[in-house]
Amino acid sequence: MRNMTFWFIVFIVLGFLTGCDEFALKKTATILQVSGTITYEPDIPQLSLALSYEMMNYRPSSIREVYLYCHENVVIESLKEGDISLRVEQGIPIGMSVRVYRVRVSEWLPGTRRVFSMKAHIKGKEESQGFFLSSEGVFLESSKVWIPISFDEIPAFRYQLTVQVPAGYETIMGGRVVSESPSEQFSTSLWRSQSTNLLFSGNLIIGKFQKVGEKDMYLYLPQKFSPLQEKRLSLLLDLLKEGKNILSKYIGEYPFDVRVVFLPKDITPLEPWTDGLFLGNILLFEESLAFSLTNVSRSVLDTIVLSETSWLYLVKTILHEMSHSYLGYDLRWEREETLPIESLTETTSLKLLEWLSPETYKLAINRALYDWNNLKLIAQTPQQLYLYRNLLLATTLSPKTYFKLIRGLRGRYLYSKLDENVLFQTLLDHGETNLSFLSGNLWNTVPEWNISLVSTNTGISISHTYPFTLSVDLFLEDKHSSITNIPLEIENSLVYPVSMRNFPSFWLDGSLLWLDHTPGDTILSQPWASIVSNLTLYYAGETNIGLDIQVTPSDKKLRSPQEDRFLSLVAFSSLDIIYHKHEKKENKVFLYAYKKSKERLCSYAVFVFTQDTKKWKWEGVYDPSIPYQIP
């Protein structure tokens, strides 16, 4: 989300011009189109601009002055109308590194067009975020106003620009490539804007990249990057292309080419808690994320959650930024809040992932659930609410239902503001009456719903306080570890006839059980009750607990049981382990459990075991809420 910076600069200029008699907004002409040539000379370093402006006087009366504004480090060398040189007065700083220039012109009649030619340059090393020029490359973000433009109420125009760079450099602009002409010395490309919105079209990147892809889908990888495995690269591009096709089919035609660019961290103007930046046809990421594409090592946790080191995490992140083509600019939230729109965008990427790769989607949801179970232990934070909303939408709506919702919102509220009531009313208006429990109150407040299992003489009693009929799966595990899955629809409560004599373990699962406010009461298991009890004894100092405790963790993301016990007891004076759920993957068993201290749940951890016929081996613990190293 970068629109606020650009429009903040616009409003500064507007306030300055309208607040000063000398700079009257009524005297400002409008740019219709810009054409010309941009030349990059890395040895100096310098970026030279030779531009032609086609402009219109839309004012009701004649004007004799035009006002331009641009970044203070852009030097305007000359401005001409035909062969006549125009006087450009010294720029006046107005803040945000922007200067305003007054240009004297002959009488300009209303409703007439004029063409001006300009020469300008940016020279010398510039290394601020979003305004970067060096011998290594260029990154000029639209919000830095690196092309001088006239102020208008809504500055919007199209361009056709030729960019010339030395051989070995790649150019990426906020538009579509019309033609490319490489040679031994130079590479020349002609770009045409795909949008009149300067936020999208006014970005320029030049650098030494590995360019891979075809047609309207390209990746620009760091030059130091190891060559990608051909199979992984092909699959990555196929997933992104198919994601773009799904968005086009179910929400609306995707409006841009896709150029995924990876830049060093000190150049990339990313905001906190963000992995990428949507700039129209340019999707910008830190180059560190690209290295997941060459990662061949796997953690034991990669089988249960989607990790940042997985190249599939990058796929989800790119899909998120692609989804901003529909959300956040022409479809906004009331009071200009960004987090609700970010939740809608993240859910779009999750639903795309569910469509493209259901197994990866499950890992992504498991990751979100793990983070949610940790964050809900602390006071409500923006990140906690963001995760909650993502999960609320992702676990209640199918991909097609969700895409229909976004299409409906765009059809009805484009260029206006959304709120939570509009969001859920649109679902109902599209016939999703089974989702009527979704409401504005649920959007802003985490509910305190409960579900529990109780063993009785007649079977298993299941009850809940969810305000609708709850769909769950009841799992029964017999003495031979054979598991039976029984789908159930529970209005308020029911008793399922089964005996723990035949099934020593049974538990519930379901897409909305993550909203259960009281963890640990959705399983009845004699073996797991014993294991959890023994873990509690271990953290109390007992060592003989009937488990083979591994001294060295089997995975670099895990801590050994001994180290985790030490660090946990440094942080908390005493601990109980509270079972939440478990998951089996091949010969691994993952126990998700809370650490409880003095009647307070204080962290959410994953305990990793290897199970064989004789004895369970406790391999390690994953608990990022506690420091990773012994002081």
Side-chain angles (χ1 to χ4, degrees), residues 40 42 44-47 71-75 97 121-140 144 146 266-267:
Y40 171 55
I44 300 177
Q46 178 169 295
L47 197 72
H71 194 279
E72 62 186 6
N73 291 335
V74 177
V75 178
S97 300
H121 69 263
I122 307 169
K123 185 176 181 180
K125 199 171 185 180
E126 300 284 348
E127 293 191 341
S128 59
Q129 284 192 339
F131 197 87
F132 183 91
L133 170 65
S134 78
S135 59
E136 296 299 314
V138 175
F139 175 44
L140 298 173
K144 303 302 181 181
W146 58 276
D266 56 345
I267 302 176

Side-chain angles (χ1 to χ4, degrees), residues 248-437:
S248 293
K249 181 177 180 179
Y250 290 97
I251 299 179
E253 188 66 29
Y254 194 85
F256 303 105
D257 295 348
V258 177
R259 297 180 181 272
V260 180
V261 184
F262 297 91
L263 290 178
K265 182 177 182 180
D266 56 345
I267 302 176
T268 311
L270 296 183
E271 296 171 352
W273 304 105
T274 60
D275 290 316
L277 177 59
F278 173 75
L279 296 172
N281 70 312
I282 298 174
L283 308 180
L284 198 61
F285 303 91
E286 285 185 16
E287 65 179 11
S288 59
L289 277 176
F291 289 97
S292 66
L293 294 171
T294 59
N295 180 31
V296 293
S297 62
R298 282 178 60 81
S299 164
V300 64
L301 296 174
D302 289 340
T303 62
I304 58 169
V305 295
L306 187 61
S307 166
E308 287 92 342
T309 58
S310 167
W311 70 277
L312 290 167
Y313 178 86
L314 180 59
V315 171
K316 182 186 77 69
T317 306
I318 295 174
L319 291 174
H320 175 105
E321 297 306 326
M322 288 173 62
S323 300
H324 270 307
S325 293
Y326 305 94
L327 293 156
Y329 299 93
D330 48 14
L331 197 63
R332 302 181 190 177
W333 203 263
E334 64 172 356
R335 298 183 300 278
E336 295 295 342
E337 289 186 63
T338 58
L339 276 183
I341 288 292
E342 285 297 322
S343 282
L344 294 180
T345 308
E346 177 67 3
T347 306
T348 305
S349 69
L350 288 170
K351 295 290 99 175
L352 281 171
L353 203 60
E354 184 177 7
W355 194 308
L356 296 168
S357 176
E359 286 303 313
T360 306
Y361 168 75
K362 290 178 183 176
L363 294 177
I365 289 295
N366 278 351
R367 168 62 184 273
L369 286 171
Y370 181 82
D371 291 342
W372 159 250
N373 278 297
N374 256 309
L375 285 172
K376 74 179 184 181
L377 301 179
I378 60 179
Q380 184 166 302
T381 63
Q383 190 186 18
Q384 183 191 87
L385 194 57
Y386 167 73
L387 268 176
Y388 163 71
R389 289 167 174 168
N390 299 350
L391 287 165
L392 182 67
L393 294 172
T395 57
T396 53
L397 305 179
S398 69
K400 284 188 177 181
T401 298
Y402 185 75
F403 296 148
K404 185 167 66 172
L405 167 64
I406 301 302
R407 188 183 187 104
L409 291 172
R410 287 178 58 81
R412 186 180 297 180
Y413 299 101
L414 205 61
Y415 306 114
S416 60
K417 303 292 181 66
L418 305 177
D419 61 27
E420 54 270 26
N421 296 317
V422 160
L423 178 67
F424 296 125
Q425 185 59 47
T426 302
L427 271 176
L428 296 178
D429 291 346
H430 282 77
E432 303 296 336
T433 54
N434 60 318
L435 299 172
S436 58
F437 67 90

Side-chain angles (χ1 to χ4, degrees), residues 500-520:
M500 287 196 75
R501 183 176 302 172
N502 300 321
F503 296 95
S505 293
F506 40 85
W507 64 91
L508 292 176
D509 198 4
S511 61
L512 291 176
L513 291 195
W514 65 276
L515 285 168
D516 181 16
H517 190 62
T518 55

Side-chain angles (χ1 to χ4, degrees), residues 408-480:
L409 291 172
R410 287 178 58 81
R412 186 180 297 180
Y413 299 101
L414 205 61
Y415 306 114
S416 60
K417 303 292 181 66
L418 305 177
D419 61 27
E420 54 270 26
N421 296 317
V422 160
L423 178 67
F424 296 125
Q425 185 59 47
T426 302
L427 271 176
L428 296 178
D429 291 346
H430 282 77
E432 303 296 336
T433 54
N434 60 318
L435 299 172
S436 58
F437 67 90
L438 292 172
S439 67
N441 290 335
L442 198 58
W443 180 252
N444 293 308
T445 306
V446 181
E448 296 189 357
W449 298 339
N450 300 318
I451 184 168
S452 62
L453 281 171
V454 177
S455 178
T456 69
N457 293 331
T458 56
I460 303 170
S461 174
I462 308 170
S463 60
H464 70 83
T465 61
Y466 287 62
F468 51 87
T469 298
L470 188 62
S471 300
V472 297
D473 289 303
L474 175 62
F475 290 89
L476 308 176
E477 185 174 13
D478 64 20
K479 297 175 181 178
H480 306 290

Side-chain angles (χ1 to χ4, degrees), residues 155-169:
F157 55 84
R158 293 193 180 275
Y159 63 71
Q160 185 162 291
L161 295 169
T162 299
V163 184
Q164 181 176 287
V165 300
Y169 288 85

